[in-house]
PDB file of all heavy atoms in Angstrom:
ATOM      1  N   ARG A  53      60.629 121.807  49.890  1.00 92.00           N
ATOM      2  CA  ARG A  53      61.704 122.201  50.799  1.00 92.00           C
ATOM      3  C   ARG A  53      61.460 121.705  52.224  1.00 92.00           C
ATOM      4  O   ARG A  53      62.388 121.584  53.012  1.00 92.00           O
ATOM      5  CB  ARG A  53      61.836 123.719  50.838  1.00 92.00           C
ATOM      6  CG  ARG A  53      62.343 124.367  49.588  1.00 92.00           C
ATOM      7  CD  ARG A  53      62.624 125.832  49.855  1.00 92.00           C
ATOM      8  NE  ARG A  53      62.920 126.578  48.648  1.00 92.00           N
ATOM      9  CZ  ARG A  53      62.002 127.158  47.896  1.00 92.00           C
ATOM     10  NH1 ARG A  53      60.737 127.053  48.214  1.00 92.00           N
ATOM     11  NH2 ARG A  53      62.340 127.818  46.814  1.00 92.00           N
ATOM     12  N   GLY A  54      60.181 121.494  52.516  1.00 92.00           N
ATOM     13  CA  GLY A  54      59.849 121.089  53.865  1.00 92.00           C
ATOM     14  C   GLY A  54      59.601 122.243  54.812  1.00 92.00           C
ATOM     15  O   GLY A  54      59.483 122.041  56.021  1.00 92.00           O
ATOM     16  N   ASP A  55      59.497 123.462  54.284  1.00 94.00           N
ATOM     17  CA  ASP A  55      59.323 124.627  55.139  1.00 94.00           C
ATOM     18  C   ASP A  55      57.904 125.190  55.103  1.00 94.00           C
ATOM     19  O   ASP A  55      57.638 126.248  55.691  1.00 94.00           O
ATOM     20  CB  ASP A  55      60.327 125.733  54.766  1.00 94.00           C
ATOM     21  CG  ASP A  55      60.200 126.194  53.324  1.00 94.00           C
ATOM     22  OD1 ASP A  55      59.290 125.713  52.616  1.00 94.00           O
ATOM     23  OD2 ASP A  55      61.014 127.028  52.900  1.00 94.00           O
ATOM     24  N   SER A  56      57.010 124.489  54.446  1.00 96.00           N
ATOM     25  CA  SER A  56      55.614 124.912  54.403  1.00 96.00           C
ATOM     26  C   SER A  56      54.716 123.688  54.471  1.00 96.00           C
ATOM     27  O   SER A  56      54.897 122.743  53.708  1.00 96.00           O
ATOM     28  CB  SER A  56      55.329 125.702  53.123  1.00 96.00           C
ATOM     29  OG  SER A  56      53.987 126.135  53.097  1.00 96.00           O
ATOM     30  N   THR A  57      53.767 123.717  55.395  1.00 97.00           N
ATOM     31  CA  THR A  57      52.866 122.587  55.589  1.00 97.00           C
ATOM     32  C   THR A  57      51.426 123.065  55.681  1.00 97.00           C
ATOM     33  O   THR A  57      51.165 124.252  55.923  1.00 97.00           O
ATOM     34  CB  THR A  57      53.208 121.807  56.874  1.00 97.00           C
ATOM     35  OG1 THR A  57      53.114 122.702  58.003  1.00 97.00           O
ATOM     36  CG2 THR A  57      54.615 121.229  56.825  1.00 97.00           C
ATOM     37  N   TYR A  58      50.521 122.127  55.485  1.00 97.00           N
ATOM     38  CA  TYR A  58      49.103 122.452  55.575  1.00 97.00           C
ATOM     39  C   TYR A  58      48.352 121.225  56.071  1.00 97.00           C
ATOM     40  O   TYR A  58      48.696 120.096  55.716  1.00 97.00           O
ATOM     41  CB  TYR A  58      48.558 122.879  54.209  1.00 97.00           C
ATOM     42  CG  TYR A  58      47.158 123.440  54.263  1.00 97.00           C
ATOM     43  CD1 TYR A  58      46.933 124.739  54.699  1.00 97.00           C
ATOM     44  CD2 TYR A  58      46.066 122.659  53.895  1.00 97.00           C
ATOM     45  CE1 TYR A  58      45.656 125.260  54.756  1.00 97.00           C
ATOM     46  CE2 TYR A  58      44.782 123.174  53.961  1.00 97.00           C
ATOM     47  CZ  TYR A  58      44.583 124.468  54.385  1.00 97.00           C
ATOM     48  OH  TYR A  58      43.313 124.970  54.457  1.00 97.00           O
ATOM     49  N   TYR A  59      47.337 121.447  56.915  1.00 98.00           N
ATOM     50  CA  TYR A  59      46.598 120.348  57.517  1.00 98.00           C
ATOM     51  C   TYR A  59      45.096 120.582  57.389  1.00 98.00           C
ATOM     52  O   TYR A  59      44.626 121.722  57.433  1.00 98.00           O
ATOM     53  CB  TYR A  59      46.934 120.216  59.001  1.00 98.00           C
ATOM     54  CG  TYR A  59      48.391 119.976  59.291  1.00 98.00           C
ATOM     55  CD1 TYR A  59      49.269 121.037  59.479  1.00 98.00           C
ATOM     56  CD2 TYR A  59      48.901 118.680  59.375  1.00 98.00           C
ATOM     57  CE1 TYR A  59      50.619 120.816  59.734  1.00 98.00           C
ATOM     58  CE2 TYR A  59      50.245 118.447  59.644  1.00 98.00           C
ATOM     59  CZ  TYR A  59      51.086 119.517  59.816  1.00 98.00           C
ATOM     60  OH  TYR A  59      52.415 119.297  60.070  1.00 98.00           O
ATOM     61  N   THR A  60      44.365 119.500  57.295  1.00 98.00           N
ATOM     62  CA  THR A  60      42.932 119.625  57.395  1.00 98.00           C
ATOM     63  C   THR A  60      42.592 119.951  58.850  1.00 98.00           C
ATOM     64  O   THR A  60      43.335 119.582  59.780  1.00 98.00           O
ATOM     65  CB  THR A  60      42.239 118.332  56.939  1.00 98.00           C
ATOM     66  OG1 THR A  60      40.844 118.558  56.795  1.00 98.00           O
ATOM     67  CG2 THR A  60      42.468 117.197  57.914  1.00 98.00           C
ATOM     68  N   ASP A  61      41.495 120.642  59.062  1.00 98.00           N
ATOM     69  CA  ASP A  61      41.178 121.137  60.405  1.00 98.00           C
ATOM     70  C   ASP A  61      41.103 120.041  61.467  1.00 98.00           C
ATOM     71  O   ASP A  61      41.506 120.244  62.613  1.00 98.00           O
ATOM     72  CB  ASP A  61      39.851 121.899  60.369  1.00 98.00           C
ATOM     73  CG  ASP A  61      39.972 123.261  59.707  1.00 98.00           C
ATOM     74  OD1 ASP A  61      41.118 123.731  59.532  1.00 98.00           O
ATOM     75  OD2 ASP A  61      38.931 123.853  59.368  1.00 98.00           O
ATOM     76  N   SER A  62      40.604 118.886  61.094  1.00 98.00           N
ATOM     77  CA  SER A  62      40.367 117.830  62.088  1.00 98.00           C
ATOM     78  C   SER A  62      41.645 117.240  62.672  1.00 98.00           C
ATOM     79  O   SER A  62      41.592 116.561  63.696  1.00 98.00           O
ATOM     80  CB  SER A  62      39.512 116.717  61.479  1.00 98.00           C
ATOM     81  OG  SER A  62      40.188 116.106  60.403  1.00 98.00           O
ATOM     82  N   VAL A  63      42.791 117.488  62.039  1.00 98.00           N
ATOM     83  CA  VAL A  63      44.039 116.911  62.552  1.00 98.00           C
ATOM     84  C   VAL A  63      45.022 117.968  63.038  1.00 98.00           C
ATOM     85  O   VAL A  63      46.088 117.628  63.552  1.00 98.00           O
ATOM     86  CB  VAL A  63      44.725 116.018  61.495  1.00 98.00           C
ATOM     87  CG1 VAL A  63      43.746 114.994  60.939  1.00 98.00           C
ATOM     88  CG2 VAL A  63      45.346 116.846  60.379  1.00 98.00           C
ATOM     89  N   LYS A  64      44.683 119.232  62.887  1.00 98.00           N
ATOM     90  CA  LYS A  64      45.582 120.304  63.324  1.00 98.00           C
ATOM     91  C   LYS A  64      45.875 120.176  64.810  1.00 98.00           C
ATOM     92  O   LYS A  64      44.978 119.970  65.619  1.00 98.00           O
ATOM     93  CB  LYS A  64      44.962 121.662  63.029  1.00 98.00           C
ATOM     94  CG  LYS A  64      45.015 122.058  61.573  1.00 98.00           C
ATOM     95  CD  LYS A  64      44.390 123.423  61.345  1.00 98.00           C
ATOM     96  CE  LYS A  64      44.428 123.809  59.884  1.00 98.00           C
ATOM     97  NZ  LYS A  64      43.769 125.110  59.626  1.00 98.00           N
ATOM     98  N   GLY A  65      47.154 120.302  65.150  1.00 98.00           N
ATOM     99  CA  GLY A  65      47.563 120.192  66.537  1.00 98.00           C
ATOM    100  C   GLY A  65      47.802 118.769  66.989  1.00 98.00           C
ATOM    101  O   GLY A  65      48.337 118.544  68.081  1.00 98.00           O
ATOM    102  N   ARG A  66      47.407 117.790  66.183  1.00 98.00           N
ATOM    103  CA  ARG A  66      47.604 116.381  66.538  1.00 98.00           C
ATOM    104  C   ARG A  66      48.567 115.680  65.577  1.00 98.00           C
ATOM    105  O   ARG A  66      49.326 114.802  66.003  1.00 98.00           O
ATOM    106  CB  ARG A  66      46.262 115.643  66.537  1.00 98.00           C
ATOM    107  CG  ARG A  66      45.244 116.198  67.500  1.00 98.00           C
ATOM    108  CD  ARG A  66      44.010 115.286  67.592  1.00 98.00           C
ATOM    109  NE  ARG A  66      43.309 115.157  66.319  1.00 98.00           N
ATOM    110  CZ  ARG A  66      43.080 113.993  65.718  1.00 98.00           C
ATOM    111  NH1 ARG A  66      43.499 112.868  66.253  1.00 98.00           N
ATOM    112  NH2 ARG A  66      42.406 113.960  64.575  1.00 98.00           N
TER     113      ARG A  66
END
Side-chain angles (χ1 to χ4, degrees):
R53 291 189 189 88
D55 59 4
S56 181
T57 59
Y58 189 78
Y59 301 89
T60 191
D61 286 345
S62 63
V63 308
K64 284 180 181 177
R66 300 188 298 123

